Amino acid sequence: MNAAARKRPDRALARSFARRFAREPQGLAKAPGRVNLIGEHTDYNEGFVLPVAIDRTVLAAFAARSDGQVRVYSLEFDEEDSFALDDIERLKGDVWSNYVRGVATVLQEAGYGLTGLDMAVQGDVPIGSGLASSAALEVAVLGAFQRAAALAIDPRDQALLAQRAENEFVGVSCGIMDQMAAVMGRRDHALLIDCRSLETEAVPLNLAAHGLKIVVAHTGVRRALSDSAYNQRRQECSRAVQVLAQVIAARPVVLRDITSKDLSAHQGNLPDPLAQRARHVVGENERVLKSVEALRQGDLLSFGELLHASHQSLSRDYEVSSPELDLMVQLACRLEGVVGARMTGAGFGGCTVNLVRQEAIDIFRGQVIEVYRSRTGLPAEMHVCEAVDGLRIIAGADA
Ligand code: GLA
């Protein structure tokens, strides 16, 4: 994106839409990426997570068509796809438009009547970086279909449908955190999600009052091997619970049901790496709840320590970090102006999340990003992020 387009991406997108489809968009759906503050690899164990929706977004400009056709153009990939709503197939390979096809499919399977669409999508959520670009795309597209057909869909169902598109149509078995954050994130707040009940609570961050910023540091390594390792971790968690269910009277069904007391008493029954995996998930759920407490008390130092403990646990017990993520965190932790740092997202590359004092942002750039670049030769980047609202749909002339 050039500088002007970055300033008003919605205007630039509306102009490209008009050029491509020779008509004005009827609306614009905007969904954010997210950075997870804490609660990693807990969502698929029905545990707790604490993500923040960030000011990196996917925009979908749209206008209804009456012939049941969908034409969708991606500015990023400079590619167009088209399909008929009554005959949607999955395209071979890892193709961006499968997310669009997937959302249309699950909406119709759930009984929602859709109208055809012309649509142009554009985003600035870095892809494959652990910032949930796929969820942002799914949720923006879902917003476009929903508004064009005037459908009422409850926010939780929006998130569940977007997740179903990814799980069942695209074929990636993610949890629910990313889609919930993209739908329900709240400006200046983190979102505590109970991934069992899907209840949410917006937790005030008050970062400005503490003179802090959220800094996302990209290792310059796209997430690699993550799908197979992610599925493997999920299976290890299920196996750990199956073993524990034989020895714990309360018969846990998922790791969410296990307390750290139960685990210490019974972890001798678990062979490694199952004991390590269970230790991470059980400890991480507790760290999320403690983090919320610390944020409520304005105790940012304790929150920072919890972030640090989360990283250690992900690196040593859950084994989803990488040498690059560990280095980025280690460089950040040396700085006085950094309150907390950890890897964020699925792992194996992507980004770290850092809480940095405002006056230390330039020092962070020099002492973390530049030092990391010179040690690894990798194109690291940093983004200073704001916590923003989830899905917004702007209709009509404003689009
Ligand atoms: C990916 C998945 C999420 C979650 C995280 C790990 O981002 O999409 O559902 O499992 O990994 O916390």
Side-chain angles (χ1 to χ4, degrees):
M1 247 193 260
N2 62 32
R6 182 171 280 287
K7 240 179 172 177
R8 285 305 310 257
D10 43 354
R11 294 264 165 82
L13 180 63
R15 275 200 301 275
S16 322
F17 180 98
R19 267 200 305 275
R20 175 149 289 257
F21 299 114
R23 59 194 294 218
E24 294 299 317
Q26 152 199 354
L28 185 87
K30 180 173 180 176
R34 63 100 189 95
V35 61
N36 190 17
L37 293 182
I38 193 162
E40 217 65 85
H41 290 275
T42 45
D43 62 352
Y44 52 81
N45 291 297
E46 298 188 13
F48 299 99
V49 291
L50 191 66
V52 166
I54 55 173
D55 53 344
R56 296 290 187 279
T57 51
V58 171
L59 304 173
F62 61 91
R65 296 171 61 98
S66 52
D67 60 359
Q69 292 288 314
V70 175
R71 285 198 300 168
V72 53
Y73 173 65
S74 159
L75 270 76
E76 250 161 318
F77 292 96
D78 188 22
E79 276 171 18
E80 186 175 313
D81 181 33
S82 54
F83 56 91
L85 282 172
D86 60 3
D87 182 21
I88 307 180
E89 277 177 25
R90 187 184 183 286
L91 301 177
K92 281 206 186 69
D94 193 6
V95 189
W96 63 271
S97 59
N98 273 335
Y99 291 93
V100 181
R101 289 169 172 249
V103 167
T105 301
V106 296
L107 280 167
Q108 294 188 113
E109 279 172 4
Y112 294 107
L114 300 185
T115 62
L117 285 186
D118 285 332
M119 182 155 53
V121 293
Q122 175 184 38
D124 64 354
V125 188
I127 294 174
S129 305
L131 299 178
S133 56
S134 320
L137 175 59
E138 290 148 17
V139 169
V141 165
L142 188 137
F145 276 116
Q146 178 183 343
R147 176 59 66 96
L151 304 170
I153 311 179
D154 167 74
R156 266 185 211 114
D157 289 336
Q158 290 176 331
L160 286 166
L161 287 161
Q163 182 201 22
R164 194 183 304 160
E166 184 150 350
N167 289 169
E168 293 175 13
F169 192 90
V170 180
V172 174
S173 46
C174 59
I176 190 66
M177 163 168 67
D178 304 349
Q179 292 78 6
M180 288 286 284
V183 173
M184 276 183 261
R186 187 143 141 227
R187 189 172 168 201
D188 297 331
H189 289 69
L191 192 69
L192 171 65
I193 308 169
D194 176 336
C195 297
R196 168 167 280 170
S197 65
L198 296 191
E199 273 165 25
T200 59
E201 184 190 330
V203 181
L205 285 169
N206 293 324
L207 292 181
H210 292 281
L212 290 171
K213 288 277 182 197
I214 297 172
V215 175
V216 169
H218 197 311
T219 56
V221 181
R222 295 249 305 224
R223 277 170 43 183
L225 291 176
S226 53
D227 287 352
S228 54
Y230 187 87
N231 291 336
Q232 192 191 355
R233 292 298 177 282
R234 290 185 73 137
Q235 284 160 15
E236 287 165 348
C237 289
S238 313
R239 276 176 23 229
V241 182
Q242 277 162 19
V243 175
L244 292 169
Q246 322 268 317
V247 289
I248 297 178
R251 293 288 167 124
V253 181
V254 284
L255 284 177
R256 155 72 178 271
D257 301 323
I258 294 167
T259 62
S260 49
K261 214 167 135 216
D262 282 341
L263 187 62
S264 332
H266 299 286
Q267 67 176 324
N269 294 284
L270 291 173
D272 270 336
L274 301 191
Q276 289 168 253
R277 308 300 188 242
R279 211 157 47 226
H280 165 71
V281 174
V282 171
E284 187 79 350
N285 277 329
E286 293 179 353
R287 283 187 287 275
V288 175
L289 298 179
K290 284 188 191 155
S291 295
V292 171
E293 211 33 58
L295 284 171
R296 282 201 194 107
Q297 308 284 328
D299 180 0
L300 275 295
L301 290 181
S302 300
F303 180 45
E305 280 163 21
L306 290 160
L307 297 186
H308 189 66
S310 166
H311 184 80
Q312 297 311 319
S313 172
L314 286 158
S315 183
R316 292 178 194 156
D317 275 345
Y318 217 64
E319 298 181 287
V320 290
S321 188
S322 66
E324 293 83 9
L325 286 165
D326 287 346
L327 174 62
M328 194 71 101
V329 167
Q330 193 198 326
L331 292 171
C333 287
R334 296 177 317 172
L335 301 185
E336 222 171 273
V338 174
V339 171
R342 59 180 283 277
M343 57 152 275
T344 188
F348 305 101
C351 294
T352 66
V353 58
N354 306 266
L355 271 191
V356 183
R357 295 199 191 286
Q358 232 147 352
E359 65 277 10
I361 299 279
D362 286 338
I363 303 174
F364 189 97
R365 188 172 287 112
Q367 297 295 312
V368 179
I369 303 296
E370 291 304 331
V371 172
Y372 174 95
R373 278 192 190 156
S374 69
R375 284 211 202 158
T376 61
L378 291 164
E381 273 177 20
M382 67 184 255
H383 308 277
V384 179
C385 295
E386 302 292 331
V388 302
D389 285 326
L391 175 66
R392 285 284 166 275
I393 303 172
I394 308 159
D398 301 341

